[in-house]
Amino acid sequence: MSYVDEIYAKVVEQNPGEAEFHQAVKEVLDSLKLVIDANEEKYRKMALLERLVEPERIVSFRVPWVDDKGQVQVNKGYRVQFNSAIGPYKGGLRFHPSVNQGILKFLGFEQVFKNSLTGLPIGGGKGGSNFDPKGKSDREVMAFCQSFMTELSKYIGADQDVPAGDIGVGAREIGFLYGQYKRMTGLYEGVLTGKGLNYGGSLVRTQATGYGLVYILDEMLRKNGKDLSGKTVVVSGSGNVAIYATEKAQQLGAKVVALSDSNGYIYDKDGIRLDVVKEIKEVRRGRIKEYADTVSSAVYTEGKGIWNVACDIALPCATQNELNLEDAKALKSNGCFAVAEGANMPSTREATDFFLENGMLFMPGKAANAGGVATSALEMSQNSQRLSWTFAEVDAKLKDIMVNIFAKADDAAKRYGVDGNYVAGANIAGFEKVVDAMMAQGIV
Ligand code: NDP
Ligand code: 2IT
């Protein structure tokens, strides 16, 4: 059995029930076959792959808090510190009822390669809780965040591990978490990113993942003789990533016609009015359904089905495995020619293979959504310097980073004879930097 297949079999055996983690590892290992086969003896001896797929550390803890009725609630909290070969652990916190250790391991594993692709000195980590912020009062969210941070604060630090937002963790949660970290440690340091602008946050961080997604999409289109102007775009989700992907796509001349949440999707033939979406999602914390109550050109459909909306370009920006083979086929048959992933692993493996086998342009999440964490790393730099850069400065750096990520994925794909396969290209390019650093640092 090849080294790669042997390691994948071990991962499945030793991490039972963690389907998403298996899926993420398999995709990366399949891409790395070419690279590993050429260096098999050296890597085997160093147990390089065994170390790559095993998190350096996982902390898991109890999070007790009191709800508005005076009832004590208990959630699970985690931080997966996956790989620190190229920098302090960096990656978001997810608060969602579906969170478990396997989900966070998949996200932490992806983060290692994504962070490497940014070219910035950040290792990979991820954390979170099965806490559901939906329907909770601000006080309940604060009570939860304070309890979560009381435990997490023991394991993080500006030069050690720097969490940020992800699903269910936005500006409000980061504020509560930061306040509690400062109170626990007495340190005013850049231990979290995505902070508010008046306490160490960076301009553009709010927009960064969505903007970065559209910057790399634009680059991929241009390098393939196409462009965004006049194209019809479908975006799934209606959270942070979806909103700012929509904003940038519209600025670059595309027409975004659909958005969703976990209840259903809206289709607006006249193009999404983002001011209405922001009011519903960022101010009222409401449901996407409410858009159709305000905008008469829009129709709301309950349930899944957003990928049946005809489009040129699809941007999945909600969650893992939200786009399956049937969805991929529907997109293709309705004329879609490009897909870029704002979410982490939103396409199933079968869908990804379908895109690649059918000549569609496809940019995987670990490259396409890296603008968020890249801008987080820029926030860390500003915190270290005790300076704040202008919007234009940060935006220009973000754009540059995304164009560079495209170039790295494109170049690695060409070097290994799989031109245009940005999945393989991103995995290989991300891996190369991490593996060099791991080999240089000895058996750790
Ligand atoms: P938000 O919490 O702001 O928004 C998440 C959106 O996705 C909501 O519309 C939510 O709907 C929907 N969603 C979440 N879970 C599900 C589900 N199980 N089924 C259907 N819809 C769902 O999160 P973000 O926008 O920050 O994150 C979206 C994706 O982007 C995630 O995969 C995240 O890991 C990834 N990402 C985020 C980055 C960031 O900087 N924020 C950076 C890189 C990647 P509902 O409100 O109904 O739950
Ligand atoms: O998945 C991700 O890259 C994020 N949620 C952002 C992580 C970060 O540290 O900004």
Side-chain angles (χ1 to χ4, degrees), residues 44-83:
R44 251 188 206 278
K45 188 131 198 264
M46 295 291 278
L48 197 271
L49 292 183
E50 286 87 336
R51 288 188 282 148
L52 196 70
V53 299
E54 190 66 37
E56 288 176 19
R57 188 176 304 99
I58 301 179
V59 264
S60 131
F61 47 91
R62 175 169 79 202
V63 190
W65 56 282
V66 184
D67 72 15
D68 284 348
K69 296 186 187 111
Q71 174 65 48
V72 176
Q73 302 286 344
V74 181
N75 287 98
K76 289 176 178 289
Y78 306 90
R79 186 72 182 165
V80 178
Q81 300 182 325
F82 218 110
N83 190 304

mmCIF file of all heavy atoms in Angstrom, residues 44-83:
data_model
loop_
_atom_site.group_PDB
_atom_site.id
_atom_site.type_symbol
_atom_site.label_atom_id
_atom_site.label_comp_id
_atom_site.label_asym_id
_atom_site.label_seq_id
_atom_site.Cartn_x
_atom_site.Cartn_y
_atom_site.Cartn_z
ATOM 1 N N ARG A 44 8.506 8.893 5.048
ATOM 2 C CA ARG A 44 8.132 7.742 5.888
ATOM 3 C C ARG A 44 9.008 7.673 7.131
ATOM 4 O O ARG A 44 8.528 7.497 8.247
ATOM 5 C CB ARG A 44 8.318 6.447 5.105
ATOM 6 C CG ARG A 44 7.059 5.763 4.702
ATOM 7 C CD ARG A 44 7.409 4.402 4.123
ATOM 8 N NE ARG A 44 6.410 3.924 3.193
ATOM 9 C CZ ARG A 44 5.280 3.309 3.563
ATOM 10 N NH1 ARG A 44 5.013 3.108 4.829
ATOM 11 N NH2 ARG A 44 4.422 2.896 2.657
ATOM 12 N N LYS A 45 10.312 7.787 6.904
ATOM 13 C CA LYS A 45 11.267 7.689 8.005
ATOM 14 C C LYS A 45 10.978 8.750 9.066
ATOM 15 O O LYS A 45 11.089 8.511 10.270
ATOM 16 C CB LYS A 45 12.691 7.859 7.441
ATOM 17 C CG LYS A 45 13.781 7.599 8.442
ATOM 18 C CD LYS A 45 14.830 6.661 7.852
ATOM 19 C CE LYS A 45 15.666 6.052 8.951
ATOM 20 N NZ LYS A 45 16.902 6.747 9.175
ATOM 21 N N MET A 46 10.594 9.930 8.608
ATOM 22 C CA MET A 46 10.317 11.043 9.514
ATOM 23 C C MET A 46 8.871 11.022 10.021
ATOM 24 O O MET A 46 8.447 11.916 10.744
ATOM 25 C CB MET A 46 10.556 12.377 8.792
ATOM 26 C CG MET A 46 12.011 12.615 8.400
ATOM 27 S SD MET A 46 13.062 12.887 9.838
ATOM 28 C CE MET A 46 12.750 14.622 10.138
ATOM 29 N N ALA A 47 8.092 10.018 9.616
ATOM 30 C CA ALA A 47 6.662 9.951 9.974
ATOM 31 C C ALA A 47 5.980 11.296 9.727
ATOM 32 O O ALA A 47 5.191 11.780 10.537
ATOM 33 C CB ALA A 47 6.477 9.503 11.428
ATOM 34 N N LEU A 48 6.303 11.864 8.575
ATOM 35 C CA LEU A 48 5.799 13.197 8.261
ATOM 36 C C LEU A 48 4.269 13.239 8.196
ATOM 37 O O LEU A 48 3.631 14.112 8.778
ATOM 38 C CB LEU A 48 6.427 13.621 6.929
ATOM 39 C CG LEU A 48 6.418 15.079 6.514
ATOM 40 C CD1 LEU A 48 5.186 15.467 5.747
ATOM 41 C CD2 LEU A 48 6.606 16.025 7.713
ATOM 42 N N LEU A 49 3.688 12.274 7.497
ATOM 43 C CA LEU A 49 2.229 12.290 7.350
ATOM 44 C C LEU A 49 1.529 11.949 8.657
ATOM 45 O O LEU A 49 0.479 12.513 8.973
ATOM 46 C CB LEU A 49 1.780 11.338 6.242
ATOM 47 C CG LEU A 49 2.173 11.732 4.820
ATOM 48 C CD1 LEU A 49 1.599 10.732 3.815
ATOM 49 C CD2 LEU A 49 1.710 13.138 4.463
ATOM 50 N N GLU A 50 2.101 11.039 9.433
ATOM 51 C CA GLU A 50 1.512 10.705 10.737
ATOM 52 C C GLU A 50 1.421 11.971 11.594
ATOM 53 O O GLU A 50 0.450 12.200 12.300
ATOM 54 C CB GLU A 50 2.356 9.670 11.489
ATOM 55 C CG GLU A 50 2.263 8.246 10.962
ATOM 56 C CD GLU A 50 3.255 7.964 9.830
ATOM 57 O OE1 GLU A 50 3.686 8.916 9.150
ATOM 58 O OE2 GLU A 50 3.577 6.774 9.623
ATOM 59 N N ARG A 51 2.476 12.789 11.522
ATOM 60 C CA ARG A 51 2.473 14.015 12.320
ATOM 61 C C ARG A 51 1.523 15.063 11.737
ATOM 62 O O ARG A 51 0.870 15.791 12.468
ATOM 63 C CB ARG A 51 3.906 14.571 12.433
ATOM 64 C CG ARG A 51 4.768 13.703 13.358
ATOM 65 C CD ARG A 51 6.113 14.341 13.627
ATOM 66 N NE ARG A 51 7.040 14.172 12.523
ATOM 67 C CZ ARG A 51 7.974 15.053 12.189
ATOM 68 N NH1 ARG A 51 8.102 16.184 12.859
ATOM 69 N NH2 ARG A 51 8.800 14.808 11.195
ATOM 70 N N LEU A 52 1.446 15.092 10.411
ATOM 71 C CA LEU A 52 0.590 16.089 9.754
ATOM 72 C C LEU A 52 -0.898 15.903 10.077
ATOM 73 O O LEU A 52 -1.652 16.873 10.165
ATOM 74 C CB LEU A 52 0.797 16.009 8.240
ATOM 75 C CG LEU A 52 0.296 17.181 7.402
ATOM 76 C CD1 LEU A 52 1.162 18.417 7.642
ATOM 77 C CD2 LEU A 52 0.299 16.824 5.922
ATOM 78 N N VAL A 53 -1.326 14.638 10.259
ATOM 79 C CA VAL A 53 -2.754 14.376 10.464
ATOM 80 C C VAL A 53 -3.143 14.288 11.950
ATOM 81 O O VAL A 53 -4.314 14.079 12.268
ATOM 82 C CB VAL A 53 -3.225 13.080 9.750
ATOM 83 C CG1 VAL A 53 -3.017 13.203 8.244
ATOM 84 C CG2 VAL A 53 -2.511 11.853 10.296
ATOM 85 N N GLU A 54 -2.164 14.440 12.828
ATOM 86 C CA GLU A 54 -2.453 14.361 14.278
ATOM 87 C C GLU A 54 -2.336 15.767 14.876
ATOM 88 O O GLU A 54 -1.270 16.362 14.823
ATOM 89 C CB GLU A 54 -1.430 13.419 14.941
ATOM 90 C CG GLU A 54 -1.734 13.057 16.384
ATOM 91 C CD GLU A 54 -3.002 12.218 16.540
ATOM 92 O OE1 GLU A 54 -3.281 11.351 15.691
ATOM 93 O OE2 GLU A 54 -3.712 12.468 17.527
ATOM 94 N N PRO A 55 -3.408 16.303 15.456
ATOM 95 C CA PRO A 55 -3.302 17.637 16.057
ATOM 96 C C PRO A 55 -2.221 17.664 17.133
ATOM 97 O O PRO A 55 -2.044 16.680 17.858
ATOM 98 C CB PRO A 55 -4.669 17.854 16.695
ATOM 99 C CG PRO A 55 -5.582 16.878 16.058
ATOM 100 C CD PRO A 55 -4.741 15.715 15.619
ATOM 101 N N GLU A 56 -1.507 18.775 17.232
ATOM 102 C CA GLU A 56 -0.488 18.883 18.289
ATOM 103 C C GLU A 56 -1.158 18.764 19.658
ATOM 104 O O GLU A 56 -0.592 18.201 20.596
ATOM 105 C CB GLU A 56 0.256 20.226 18.155
ATOM 106 C CG GLU A 56 1.190 20.228 16.946
ATOM 107 C CD GLU A 56 1.899 21.554 16.695
ATOM 108 O OE1 GLU A 56 1.982 22.399 17.604
ATOM 109 O OE2 GLU A 56 2.371 21.742 15.556
ATOM 110 N N ARG A 57 -2.362 19.283 19.756
ATOM 111 C CA ARG A 57 -3.044 19.304 21.054
ATOM 112 C C ARG A 57 -4.531 19.586 20.838
ATOM 113 O O ARG A 57 -4.882 20.376 19.961
ATOM 114 C CB ARG A 57 -2.452 20.451 21.890
ATOM 115 C CG ARG A 57 -2.854 20.569 23.326
ATOM 116 C CD ARG A 57 -2.088 21.696 24.028
ATOM 117 N NE ARG A 57 -0.637 21.541 23.919
ATOM 118 C CZ ARG A 57 0.149 22.170 23.031
ATOM 119 N NH1 ARG A 57 -0.349 23.030 22.180
ATOM 120 N NH2 ARG A 57 1.445 21.933 22.999
ATOM 121 N N ILE A 58 -5.386 18.963 21.659
ATOM 122 C CA ILE A 58 -6.805 19.342 21.680
ATOM 123 C C ILE A 58 -7.191 19.604 23.119
ATOM 124 O O ILE A 58 -6.953 18.753 23.977
ATOM 125 C CB ILE A 58 -7.718 18.224 21.129
ATOM 126 C CG1 ILE A 58 -7.347 17.876 19.682
ATOM 127 C CG2 ILE A 58 -9.188 18.623 21.217
ATOM 128 C CD1 ILE A 58 -8.194 16.761 19.077
ATOM 129 N N VAL A 59 -7.743 20.764 23.401
ATOM 130 C CA VAL A 59 -8.283 20.977 24.743
ATOM 131 C C VAL A 59 -9.791 20.932 24.653
ATOM 132 O O VAL A 59 -10.398 21.469 23.716
ATOM 133 C CB VAL A 59 -7.860 22.313 25.403
ATOM 134 C CG1 VAL A 59 -6.669 22.126 26.290
ATOM 135 C CG2 VAL A 59 -7.603 23.403 24.411
ATOM 136 N N SER A 60 -10.391 20.275 25.617
ATOM 137 C CA SER A 60 -11.836 20.146 25.628
ATOM 138 C C SER A 60 -12.298 20.418 27.050
ATOM 139 O O SER A 60 -11.669 19.966 28.013
ATOM 140 C CB SER A 60 -12.169 18.751 25.109
ATOM 141 O OG SER A 60 -13.067 18.093 25.914
ATOM 142 N N PHE A 61 -13.335 21.219 27.190
ATOM 143 C CA PHE A 61 -13.698 21.668 28.531
ATOM 144 C C PHE A 61 -15.204 21.894 28.681
ATOM 145 O O PHE A 61 -15.930 21.987 27.688
ATOM 146 C CB PHE A 61 -12.922 22.956 28.884
ATOM 147 C CG PHE A 61 -12.932 24.026 27.802
ATOM 148 C CD1 PHE A 61 -13.913 25.003 27.773
ATOM 149 C CD2 PHE A 61 -11.944 24.044 26.807
ATOM 150 C CE1 PHE A 61 -13.919 25.987 26.782
ATOM 151 C CE2 PHE A 61 -11.952 25.023 25.811
ATOM 152 C CZ PHE A 61 -12.940 25.994 25.806
ATOM 153 N N ARG A 62 -15.623 21.966 29.920
ATOM 154 C CA ARG A 62 -17.023 22.197 30.287
ATOM 155 C C ARG A 62 -17.284 23.704 30.289
ATOM 156 O O ARG A 62 -16.465 24.477 30.770
ATOM 157 C CB ARG A 62 -17.224 21.626 31.685
ATOM 158 C CG ARG A 62 -18.569 21.868 32.283
ATOM 159 C CD ARG A 62 -18.718 21.025 33.533
ATOM 160 N NE ARG A 62 -18.039 21.595 34.687
ATOM 161 C CZ ARG A 62 -17.655 20.895 35.758
ATOM 162 N NH1 ARG A 62 -17.839 19.588 35.808
ATOM 163 N NH2 ARG A 62 -17.069 21.486 36.767
ATOM 164 N N VAL A 63 -18.453 24.102 29.747
ATOM 165 C CA VAL A 63 -18.816 25.525 29.764
ATOM 166 C C VAL A 63 -20.182 25.703 30.443
ATOM 167 O O VAL A 63 -21.231 25.621 29.799
ATOM 168 C CB VAL A 63 -18.875 26.124 28.336
ATOM 169 C CG1 VAL A 63 -19.011 27.642 28.407
ATOM 170 C CG2 VAL A 63 -17.642 25.739 27.521
ATOM 171 N N PRO A 64 -20.171 25.926 31.766
ATOM 172 C CA PRO A 64 -21.436 26.135 32.470
ATOM 173 C C PRO A 64 -21.815 27.620 32.463
ATOM 174 O O PRO A 64 -20.941 28.486 32.572
ATOM 175 C CB PRO A 64 -21.094 25.696 33.899
ATOM 176 C CG PRO A 64 -19.626 25.974 34.044
ATOM 177 C CD PRO A 64 -19.006 25.925 32.676
ATOM 178 N N TRP A 65 -23.084 27.905 32.312
ATOM 179 C CA TRP A 65 -23.551 29.300 32.335
ATOM 180 C C TRP A 65 -25.012 29.311 32.763
ATOM 181 O O TRP A 65 -25.683 28.279 32.745
ATOM 182 C CB TRP A 65 -23.354 29.972 30.968
ATOM 183 C CG TRP A 65 -24.014 29.256 29.821
ATOM 184 C CD1 TRP A 65 -23.560 28.135 29.181
ATOM 185 C CD2 TRP A 65 -25.275 29.576 29.215
ATOM 186 N NE1 TRP A 65 -24.447 27.736 28.205
ATOM 187 C CE2 TRP A 65 -25.504 28.614 28.196
ATOM 188 C CE3 TRP A 65 -26.220 30.586 29.411
ATOM 189 C CZ2 TRP A 65 -26.646 28.630 27.392
ATOM 190 C CZ3 TRP A 65 -27.352 30.613 28.603
ATOM 191 C CH2 TRP A 65 -27.558 29.632 27.610
ATOM 192 N N VAL A 66 -25.502 30.487 33.138
ATOM 193 C CA VAL A 66 -26.866 30.592 33.671
ATOM 194 C C VAL A 66 -27.752 31.305 32.657
ATOM 195 O O VAL A 66 -27.430 32.401 32.198
ATOM 196 C CB VAL A 66 -26.866 31.379 35.003
ATOM 197 C CG1 VAL A 66 -28.272 31.406 35.607
ATOM 198 C CG2 VAL A 66 -25.880 30.759 35.990
ATOM 199 N N ASP A 67 -28.878 30.699 32.278
ATOM 200 C CA ASP A 67 -29.770 31.332 31.300
ATOM 201 C C ASP A 67 -30.689 32.353 31.976
ATOM 202 O O ASP A 67 -30.633 32.550 33.195
ATOM 203 C CB ASP A 67 -30.523 30.278 30.474
ATOM 204 C CG ASP A 67 -31.615 29.552 31.262
ATOM 205 O OD1 ASP A 67 -32.007 30.027 32.345
ATOM 206 O OD2 ASP A 67 -32.078 28.491 30.776
ATOM 207 N N ASP A 68 -31.536 33.002 31.178
ATOM 208 C CA ASP A 68 -32.357 34.103 31.697
ATOM 209 C C ASP A 68 -33.427 33.642 32.691
ATOM 210 O O ASP A 68 -34.001 34.441 33.413
ATOM 211 C CB ASP A 68 -33.018 34.876 30.538
ATOM 212 C CG ASP A 68 -32.030 35.796 29.825
ATOM 213 O OD1 ASP A 68 -30.914 35.998 30.366
ATOM 214 O OD2 ASP A 68 -32.344 36.300 28.732
ATOM 215 N N LYS A 69 -33.685 32.339 32.720
ATOM 216 C CA LYS A 69 -34.662 31.832 33.689
ATOM 217 C C LYS A 69 -33.993 31.410 34.985
ATOM 218 O O LYS A 69 -34.646 30.870 35.886
ATOM 219 C CB LYS A 69 -35.407 30.634 33.102
ATOM 220 C CG LYS A 69 -36.244 30.980 31.887
ATOM 221 C CD LYS A 69 -37.066 29.757 31.459
ATOM 222 C CE LYS A 69 -37.788 30.015 30.147
ATOM 223 N NZ LYS A 69 -37.229 29.202 29.045
ATOM 224 N N GLY A 70 -32.667 31.575 35.039
ATOM 225 C CA GLY A 70 -31.949 31.151 36.242
ATOM 226 C C GLY A 70 -31.521 29.707 36.193
ATOM 227 O O GLY A 70 -30.955 29.177 37.153
ATOM 228 N N GLN A 71 -31.759 29.051 35.066
ATOM 229 C CA GLN A 71 -31.389 27.647 34.895
ATOM 230 C C GLN A 71 -29.920 27.552 34.465
ATOM 231 O O GLN A 71 -29.493 28.266 33.577
ATOM 232 C CB GLN A 71 -32.295 27.018 33.817
ATOM 233 C CG GLN A 71 -31.929 25.596 33.427
ATOM 234 C CD GLN A 71 -32.104 24.615 34.576
ATOM 235 O OE1 GLN A 71 -33.138 24.603 35.261
ATOM 236 N NE2 GLN A 71 -31.087 23.794 34.829
ATOM 237 N N VAL A 72 -29.173 26.640 35.087
ATOM 238 C CA VAL A 72 -27.789 26.422 34.657
ATOM 239 C C VAL A 72 -27.773 25.548 33.398
ATOM 240 O O VAL A 72 -28.462 24.525 33.331
ATOM 241 C CB VAL A 72 -26.962 25.748 35.777
ATOM 242 C CG1 VAL A 72 -25.546 25.425 35.293
ATOM 243 C CG2 VAL A 72 -26.913 26.657 37.001
ATOM 244 N N GLN A 73 -27.017 25.983 32.419
ATOM 245 C CA GLN A 73 -26.839 25.227 31.172
ATOM 246 C C GLN A 73 -25.377 24.798 31.076
ATOM 247 O O GLN A 73 -24.494 25.491 31.579
ATOM 248 C CB GLN A 73 -27.166 26.114 29.953
ATOM 249 C CG GLN A 73 -28.577 26.687 29.951
ATOM 250 C CD GLN A 73 -29.630 25.635 29.601
ATOM 251 O OE1 GLN A 73 -29.310 24.563 29.072
ATOM 252 N NE2 GLN A 73 -30.882 25.927 29.924
ATOM 253 N N VAL A 74 -25.131 23.677 30.420
ATOM 254 C CA VAL A 74 -23.754 23.214 30.253
ATOM 255 C C VAL A 74 -23.500 22.884 28.777
ATOM 256 O O VAL A 74 -24.254 22.111 28.183
ATOM 257 C CB VAL A 74 -23.455 21.964 31.106
ATOM 258 C CG1 VAL A 74 -22.005 21.515 30.920
ATOM 259 C CG2 VAL A 74 -23.737 22.239 32.572
ATOM 260 N N ASN A 75 -22.479 23.502 28.210
ATOM 261 C CA ASN A 75 -22.075 23.188 26.832
ATOM 262 C C ASN A 75 -20.666 22.605 26.817
ATOM 263 O O ASN A 75 -19.947 22.666 27.810
ATOM 264 C CB ASN A 75 -22.118 24.446 25.965
ATOM 265 C CG ASN A 75 -23.537 24.863 25.651
ATOM 266 O OD1 ASN A 75 -24.095 25.753 26.301
ATOM 267 N ND2 ASN A 75 -24.134 24.210 24.678
ATOM 268 N N LYS A 76 -20.310 22.060 25.655
ATOM 269 C CA LYS A 76 -18.955 21.562 25.437
ATOM 270 C C LYS A 76 -18.124 22.652 24.769
ATOM 271 O O LYS A 76 -18.604 23.319 23.851
ATOM 272 C CB LYS A 76 -18.984 20.344 24.511
ATOM 273 C CG LYS A 76 -19.572 19.100 25.149
ATOM 274 C CD LYS A 76 -19.636 17.982 24.106
ATOM 275 C CE LYS A 76 -20.170 16.690 24.695
ATOM 276 N NZ LYS A 76 -19.239 16.031 25.614
ATOM 277 N N GLY A 77 -16.894 22.833 25.207
ATOM 278 C CA GLY A 77 -15.975 23.785 24.569
ATOM 279 C C GLY A 77 -14.722 23.066 24.115
ATOM 280 O O GLY A 77 -14.302 22.087 24.748
ATOM 281 N N TYR A 78 -14.136 23.544 23.007
ATOM 282 C CA TYR A 78 -12.933 22.899 22.459
ATOM 283 C C TYR A 78 -11.981 23.928 21.854
ATOM 284 O O TYR A 78 -12.415 24.961 21.345
ATOM 285 C CB TYR A 78 -13.264 21.987 21.263
ATOM 286 C CG TYR A 78 -14.298 20.946 21.458
ATOM 287 C CD1 TYR A 78 -15.638 21.228 21.203
ATOM 288 C CD2 TYR A 78 -13.936 19.653 21.830
ATOM 289 C CE1 TYR A 78 -16.609 20.242 21.327
ATOM 290 C CE2 TYR A 78 -14.904 18.661 21.953
ATOM 291 C CZ TYR A 78 -16.236 18.964 21.706
ATOM 292 O OH TYR A 78 -17.190 17.988 21.822
ATOM 293 N N ARG A 79 -10.699 23.582 21.827
ATOM 294 C CA ARG A 79 -9.746 24.250 20.952
ATOM 295 C C ARG A 79 -8.821 23.178 20.396
ATOM 296 O O ARG A 79 -8.205 22.421 21.160
ATOM 297 C CB ARG A 79 -8.940 25.317 21.706
ATOM 298 C CG ARG A 79 -8.027 26.160 20.804
ATOM 299 C CD ARG A 79 -8.780 27.138 19.938
ATOM 300 N NE ARG A 79 -7.877 27.894 19.071
ATOM 301 C CZ ARG A 79 -8.271 28.609 18.008
ATOM 302 N NH1 ARG A 79 -9.561 28.672 17.693
ATOM 303 N NH2 ARG A 79 -7.408 29.260 17.276
ATOM 304 N N VAL A 80 -8.792 23.083 19.080
ATOM 305 C CA VAL A 80 -7.906 22.136 18.401
ATOM 306 C C VAL A 80 -6.695 22.910 17.910
ATOM 307 O O VAL A 80 -6.805 23.766 17.035
ATOM 308 C CB VAL A 80 -8.625 21.466 17.207
ATOM 309 C CG1 VAL A 80 -7.679 20.511 16.482
ATOM 310 C CG2 VAL A 80 -9.877 20.740 17.663
ATOM 311 N N GLN A 81 -5.521 22.644 18.515
ATOM 312 C CA GLN A 81 -4.284 23.325 18.115
ATOM 313 C C GLN A 81 -3.562 22.379 17.176
ATOM 314 O O GLN A 81 -2.845 21.476 17.599
ATOM 315 C CB GLN A 81 -3.475 23.691 19.362
ATOM 316 C CG GLN A 81 -4.307 24.641 20.267
ATOM 317 C CD GLN A 81 -3.583 25.119 21.507
ATOM 318 O OE1 GLN A 81 -2.800 24.370 22.096
ATOM 319 N NE2 GLN A 81 -3.861 26.352 21.922
ATOM 320 N N PHE A 82 -3.796 22.555 15.873
ATOM 321 C CA PHE A 82 -3.432 21.508 14.929
ATOM 322 C C PHE A 82 -1.963 21.491 14.554
ATOM 323 O O PHE A 82 -1.308 20.461 14.622
ATOM 324 C CB PHE A 82 -4.306 21.568 13.668
ATOM 325 C CG PHE A 82 -4.668 20.205 13.163
ATOM 326 C CD1 PHE A 82 -5.968 19.736 13.258
ATOM 327 C CD2 PHE A 82 -3.698 19.369 12.617
ATOM 328 C CE1 PHE A 82 -6.295 18.459 12.822
ATOM 329 C CE2 PHE A 82 -4.025 18.094 12.177
ATOM 330 C CZ PHE A 82 -5.322 17.641 12.281
ATOM 331 N N ASN A 83 -1.454 22.640 14.125
ATOM 332 C CA ASN A 83 -0.075 22.637 13.633
ATOM 333 C C ASN A 83 0.529 24.031 13.794
ATOM 334 O O ASN A 83 -0.034 25.003 13.316
ATOM 335 C CB ASN A 83 -0.054 22.217 12.154
ATOM 336 C CG ASN A 83 1.346 21.957 11.631
ATOM 337 O OD1 ASN A 83 2.223 22.815 11.700
ATOM 338 N ND2 ASN A 83 1.565 20.758 11.109
#
